[in-house]
Amino acid sequence: MANLPENAALRRTLALGPALAIIGIFMLIPVIIMASYSFLEAKSFGGVNWVFSGDAYVQLFYERMLDDSLRLSPGYLIIIGRSVALALVAMVCCLLVGFPVAWFIARQPLRQRNMWILLITIPFWTNQLVRTFAWIIILGRNGVIEVPFRWTGLLAPEQTLGLMYSNFAITVGLTYTFIPLMVLPIYASLEKLDFSLVEAGADLYSSRWETFSNIIIPLSKPGIIAGCLLVFIPSLGAFIQPDLLGGGKNLMLGTLVQFQFSTARNWPFGSAIAMILLAFVVVFLMLYARASRGSKSLEVH
Amino acid sequence: MTRIQPAATVTPLHPAAPTAVERSGGEPAVVLENVCKTYGRGASAVEALRGVSFDIRDNEFFTLLGPSGCGKTTLLRALAGFEHVSGGVIRLFGQDIVDVPTHKRPVNTVFQSYSLFPHMTVSENVAYGLRRLRRPADEIRTTVAEMLQLVKMERFADRLPTQLSGGQQQRVALARALAPHPKVLLLDEPLSALDLKLRQAMRQELKQIQAETAITFIFVTHDQDEALSMSDRIAVMSEGQVQQVGTPTEIYEHPANRFVAGFVGDANFIEAEITSPIGAEVTCRTKGGLDLRANGAKARPGQRSVTLFLRPEKVRLAPKGQGTVDGQVETIQYLGNACLMEIGIGEAAPVLVSERMADVDQPRRAVGDRVGVVFDPRALQVLEE
Ligand SMILES: Nc1ncnc2c1ncn2[C@@H]1O[C@H](COP(=O)(O)OP(=O)(O)OP(=O)(O)O)[C@@H](O)[C@H]1O
Ligand SMILES: [Mg+2]
C-alpha cells in the first residue's frame, strides 16, 4: 500500500503522455530551434551557418560602424517600446469597449445571447487582410471619415486629417481585430455571475459604481485577465495592421520579424527578435499566474 | 431626491425590547396604499400585485403568506427597490419611497438563495453594508463581531461562503443584512432551503433575534405553520391581492373568507340557508336537510345563503346517537398525535374531523364505525362573503 502514491503519480504521468508529447512537438521544439538559430551566424541569402554568434542580439542594441566599432543604437529599442505601448493601448481600448459589450450580451435573454455571440464571432470568418484593408477606406485620404469634412468645407482639398499611417490607425486596427478575444472570456465570466449579487450590493448601500467596482469587477476578474492576455499577446506580434495601417513606417515587432525572414533574409536576427517577443509574453503570463492565484478560491464553486 | 438616513448609529441590542403590541401606537413602519405591479405589457402582461393596501407596525414580525405565484416576492422586491411599482404609494416611516433607489433605502434583504459575495470572507460580507455607509473602522469591527455572535458564527469569520453549509450561509446572510441595523428587514423564504429540524430551530432563533434587535421583520413564506408560529401579524395573499391581515389567532380562528380558511389549516365548509333572524347565534338548514346552530357574528343582515366554516379539531366525536348528527367513518389518516377522519353525515362532502390521541382509554376508530358528531355552535361560523 505504501507505494500507492508513487503508482498514482506514475499513472498520472502516463495519462498525460499524449498531451505532453503534443506540447513537446508543437511548442517546445520550435522554440528550441528558434532559440538556437538566434545564436547562429546569418547566411547572406537566408538560412544559417552553424557557427555560434551573438551578433543577432548585438545588432538589436548596437550599430556596427564601418570600422567595425559598435555604437549604441536605439532604433530597435524604439520599435520594441512602440510595440509594447501600442499593444497595451489596444488592450485597454478592447477592455473599455469589450466589457460593456460583454455585459450587454450577458444581460440579454438566453436565446438572444447566442445570437449576439454569433455576431461577435462573424468577423473571424473573414480574411484578416481584407478586414484590415477596409479600415484604409474608412480612415484614408478621402475615406469615409474625411468626406463629410470636405463637403462641409472644413477640410481644404489639399489637406488631410492624417488618420492613416499613424499609431492611431494601428491601434484602431488592433482593437478592431482582437476585440472578440476580449468580449468572449469576459462574457463567459459575466454569464456565470449571479445577478442577485448585484441586487445584494445595491441592497447593502452600494451606488452603481461601488457595485461595479466591488462586486462585478472582482467576480469577472478571471475573464478580464484572460481577455487582456488574449488581446495583448497577438497585438504584440501583429504584422498585418502595422504594415497596412502604419504604412510600414511605424514598425512593430511582428513586422520586423516578418521583414527579417522574408526580405532581409537574416534568420538569426529574426529569431532574436522573436525571442524578445517571447520574453515579453512570458513575463505577462507570469503576472497572469500571480493575479489568478489571488482569485483561485473563486473557482471552487 | 431625498436620502433616508439608515439608523445613524448601530444601537446596542435591546435584550428586553418592548413587544410589538405595546409599541403599536406609534407611526407604522410601512404603509402600502393601492400598490400595483404589472410585469410586461400587452398580451403577456402579468398582474402580480392588484391594489395591495395595509400597514406594517414598527418592531413587528410581519409575515406575507400565500400560495406560490401570489406576488409575495414581488411585494418584497418592491419594498427593497429592486422592482419599480406600476402604481400606488409605499411609505417607510411616513416617507414615500417609491422613487428612492435601492441603495438609499434603510431596508436590507435576506435573499432566498443567500447571495453571499463569493469573493469575500464571512466577516467581509457582514462588514460590506457598514463599509458602504462609511462607518468608522473600529465601529465596523465591533458590529461585525457582535453580529457574528448573534448568529453564532464567530468561529467562521475568516471562511469563504463556499466553505460553509447551507444553514451556516443562511446565518451569515442574516448577519450581513442586520449589521447596518436597517429600519426594516426583508426575508424571502429564508428557511426554505433548510431541512426540517434546522428549519424549526431557526424559527425560534429568528423570532428571538427580531425581539433582541427590535427591527421590523417582513417575512415571506408559503408555509402556514411557519407563519402561525413566528408572526405578530400575518397578511394572507392570493392572486396579487391581500385577503386578510391579522394576528395568527385571528387568521386561524376567524378567517375572513373561504380562501383564508382553506389556505391556513384544514377546514370544513358546509353550504346552508339561514332560517332564523340574524343574531349572535343563527339557525341554518344545510343542503342535506340538517338543522345546525352556528355563530352568526359575521352574517350580514338579510343574508340567507351562507357558507359555514368549522376547523376539524373543533368537531367532537361521541357515541352513536349522542351527537348533533350521526355519521359513518369513511377514511382514517393516522398522524401519531392525532387521527384525521372523514365522516359521512349525508351532506355533499364528508366532515373532516381531527381527534387528538391524548387519552389512553380513547376508543380506536375504524372505517365503517358509526359515531355521533358534535358541532359546537360557537365553533361553527358563518363565513363573511
Ligand atoms: N420578472 C417577471 N416577469 C414576469 N412575470 C413575473 C416576474 N416575476 C414574477 N412574475 C409573475 O408574477 C406573479 C407573482 O410572482 P412572485 O414571484 O411575486 O410570486 P411568489 O408569491 O413569490 O411565489 P413563490 O411562493 O413561488 O415564490 C407570478 O405569476 C409570476 O409568474
Ligand atoms: Mg417568491
Side-chain angles (χ1 to χ4, degrees):
Chain A
M1 280 290 135
N3 59 357
L4 195 69
E6 282 170 44
N7 245 336
L10 184 67
R11 223 173 316 135
R12 202 161 45 229
T13 317
L14 286 179
L16 282 176
L20 290 176
I22 287 175
I23 291 176
I25 293 169
F26 289 106
M27 300 186 65
L28 220 50
I29 293 180
V31 169
I32 291 171
I33 293 176
M34 193 175 76
S36 26
Y37 268 41
S38 72
F39 286 105
L40 293 175
E41 222 177 66
K43 262 195 199 152
S44 317
F45 301 102
V48 286
N49 289 321
W50 284 87
V51 179
F52 176 84
S53 155
D55 269 3
Y57 290 94
V58 172
Q59 199 182 343
L60 264 177
F61 303 104
Y62 297 97
E63 201 175 350
R64 198 174 288 276
M65 307 308 288
L66 285 175
D67 60 356
D68 237 21
S69 67
L70 292 174
R71 208 182 66 188
L72 201 64
S73 139
Y76 294 118
L77 291 178
I78 289 173
I79 293 176
I80 293 174
R82 179 190 301 130
S83 298
V84 173
L86 285 181
L88 282 175
V89 172
M91 181 185 92
V92 171
C93 291
C94 280
L95 183 60
L96 291 180
V97 179
F99 194 98
V101 171
W103 176 259
F104 170 80
I105 298 175
R107 297 292 301 141
Q108 297 303 305
L110 190 63
R111 212 149 8 113
Q112 286 170 35
R113 276 186 231 162
N114 293 332
M115 185 202 66
W116 283 107
I117 289 300
L118 195 72
L119 287 179
I120 291 282
T121 48
I122 276 181
F124 277 137
W125 305 352
T126 335
N127 186 294
Q128 218 193 79
L129 211 59
V130 176
R131 285 188 289 137
T132 309
F133 263 116
W135 277 103
I136 300 180
I137 299 171
I138 297 171
L139 298 176
R141 202 178 162 87
N142 296 325
V144 175
I145 294 177
E146 281 193 5
V147 165
F149 283 91
R150 294 211 192 285
W151 281 354
T152 51
L154 285 171
L155 211 61
E158 69 281 0
Q159 280 178 313
T160 168
L161 289 174
L163 296 176
M164 270 306 287
Y165 309 122
S166 62
N167 287 337
F168 168 78
I170 297 176
T171 310
V172 168
L174 291 175
T175 305
Y176 164 73
T177 307
F178 297 119
I179 203 157
L181 299 177
M182 182 66 86
V183 172
L184 293 177
I186 295 181
Y187 165 74
S189 347
L190 287 179
E191 198 205 12
K192 277 184 284 170
L193 182 86
D194 178 1
F195 192 73
S196 75
L197 293 175
V198 175
E199 287 183 344
D203 187 62
L204 292 160
Y205 314 107
S206 309
S207 63
R208 274 161 177 268
W209 168 249
E210 285 171 329
T211 306
F212 181 70
S213 60
N214 291 319
I215 294 157
I216 298 171
I217 293 280
L219 291 177
S220 54
K221 203 167 96 185
I224 293 174
I225 293 173
C228 286
L229 280 176
L230 287 178
V231 170
F232 178 77
I233 293 173
S235 295
L236 199 58
F239 61 91
I240 291 182
Q241 294 79 2
D243 208 34
L244 294 182
L245 303 173
K249 71 177 175 178
N250 295 312
L251 283 180
M252 280 177 72
L253 279 175
T255 346
L256 206 54
V257 174
Q258 190 229 15
F259 180 74
Q260 295 308 323
F261 277 93
S262 57
T263 317
R265 297 189 186 281
N266 189 342
W267 290 16
F269 188 49
S271 301
I273 303 165
M275 290 305 290
I276 298 283
L277 203 61
L278 183 68
F280 273 108
V281 171
V282 167
V283 167
F284 262 75
L285 284 175
M286 274 159 55
L287 289 176
Y288 169 63
R290 174 175 306 175
S292 61
R293 214 178 304 133
S295 57
K296 198 164 191 177
S297 45
L298 286 181
E299 286 151 27
V300 173
H301 65 184
Chain B
M1 192 165 294
T2 45
R3 172 168 188 155
I4 301 179
Q5 281 300 321
T9 55
V10 172
T11 43
L13 305 178
H14 318 295
T19 67
V21 181
E22 283 167 347
R23 286 176 47 169
S24 63
E27 183 181 30
V30 178
V31 176
L32 301 168
E33 286 170 18
N34 201 24
V35 174
C36 299
K37 171 73 195 180
T38 308
Y39 289 110
R41 57 176 81 83
S44 63
V46 179
E47 275 189 87
L49 298 175
R50 316 167 184 222
V52 171
S53 303
F54 60 85
D55 294 358
I56 297 169
R57 298 171 189 151
D58 190 13
N59 189 19
E60 187 169 44
F61 198 114
F62 192 91
T63 299
L64 296 173
L65 175 66
S68 189
C70 70
K72 308 179 296 287
T73 298
T74 304
L75 186 55
L76 215 61
R77 290 175 59 81
L79 284 168
F82 304 142
E83 218 73 72
H84 207 267
V85 295
S86 324
V89 177
I90 303 176
R91 266 187 246 284
L92 193 76
F93 291 94
Q95 191 190 344
D96 185 352
I97 55 164
V98 162
D99 292 321
V100 178
T102 304
H103 70 278
K104 291 184 180 166
R105 298 188 187 193
V107 169
N108 286 153
T109 307
V110 179
F111 292 83
Q112 180 166 6
S113 54
Y114 314 135
S115 301
L116 296 174
F117 303 128
H119 57 303
M120 299 181 194
T121 63
V122 165
S123 51
E124 284 166 351
N125 264 281
V126 177
Y128 188 86
L130 297 165
R131 294 236 165 87
R132 299 286 83 74
L133 291 170
R134 311 272 183 276
R135 297 284 166 73
D138 51 341
E139 186 196 309
I140 294 179
R141 215 173 310 113
T142 50
T143 311
V144 168
E146 223 172 279
M147 287 302 138
L148 289 179
Q149 199 184 351
L150 186 72
V151 299
K152 308 193 180 71
M153 289 292 293
E154 312 95 307
R155 289 189 299 124
F156 302 91
D158 296 322
R159 294 250 190 120
L160 286 168
T162 46
Q163 301 165 324
L164 300 176
S165 74
Q168 292 166 339
Q169 290 182 38
Q170 206 270 324
R171 285 159 184 276
V172 177
L174 183 63
R176 183 180 71 173
L178 283 170
H181 205 87
K183 288 186 173 170
V184 174
L185 187 75
L186 308 174
L187 305 101
D188 191 357
E189 309 205 24
L191 306 184
S192 63
L194 307 181
D195 66 56
L196 184 67
K197 271 272 170 282
L198 197 53
R199 198 154 67 211
Q200 283 167 345
M202 277 308 289
R203 280 184 201 170
Q204 294 309 313
E205 239 172 282
L206 267 183
K207 184 82 185 120
Q208 195 182 336
I209 287 172
Q210 193 269 326
E212 282 180 26
T213 53
I215 292 173
T216 307
F217 276 36
I218 304 180
F219 183 89
V220 162
T221 183
H222 57 248
D223 180 330
Q224 39 145 329
D225 291 336
E226 221 162 79
L228 292 175
S229 64
M230 301 170 78
S231 323
D232 291 319
R233 287 195 311 148
I234 300 171
V236 182
M237 292 179 64
S238 160
E239 296 184 355
Q241 283 172 323
V242 172
Q243 302 295 326
Q244 185 177 8
V245 180
T247 62
T249 333
E250 282 165 8
I251 299 275
Y252 189 80
E253 303 286 344
H254 306 288
N257 56 38
R258 191 165 176 150
F259 175 83
V260 176
F263 186 74
V264 184
D266 294 323
N268 290 300
F269 299 107
I270 306 169
E271 304 299 334
E273 300 262 317
I274 297 181
T275 54
S276 69
I278 305 286
E281 194 175 291
V282 292
T283 311
C284 306
R285 167 154 300 176
T286 66
K287 292 258 164 67
L290 203 60
D291 282 314
L292 294 173
R293 284 183 300 139
N295 180 341
K298 298 265 178 69
R300 277 184 292 105
Q303 191 179 13
R304 287 214 18 104
S305 71
V306 291
T307 304
L308 299 176
F309 149 80
L310 183 65
R311 292 282 179 208
E313 69 277 7
K314 298 273 167 30
V315 188
R316 213 157 46 74
L317 295 185
K320 187 178 161 223
Q322 293 177 21
T324 320
V325 60
D326 274 351
Q328 189 170 19
V329 178
E330 290 181 355
T331 65
I332 298 187
Q333 223 181 320
Y334 178 67
L335 301 175
N337 58 350
C339 269
L340 201 59
M341 287 169 275
E342 284 182 313
I343 298 180
I345 56 167
E347 291 293 325
V351 180
L352 200 59
V353 177
S354 165
E355 194 177 38
R356 293 269 302 154
M357 308 291 276
D359 197 343
V360 186
D361 311 321
Q362 212 163 323
R364 293 200 63 102
R365 314 281 177 198
V367 173
D369 282 1
R370 297 203 63 85
V371 291
V373 182
V374 184
F375 292 117
D376 186 330
R378 290 165 302 175
L380 186 65
Q381 300 173 32
V382 173
L383 265 188
E384 237 172 287
E385 289 296 287

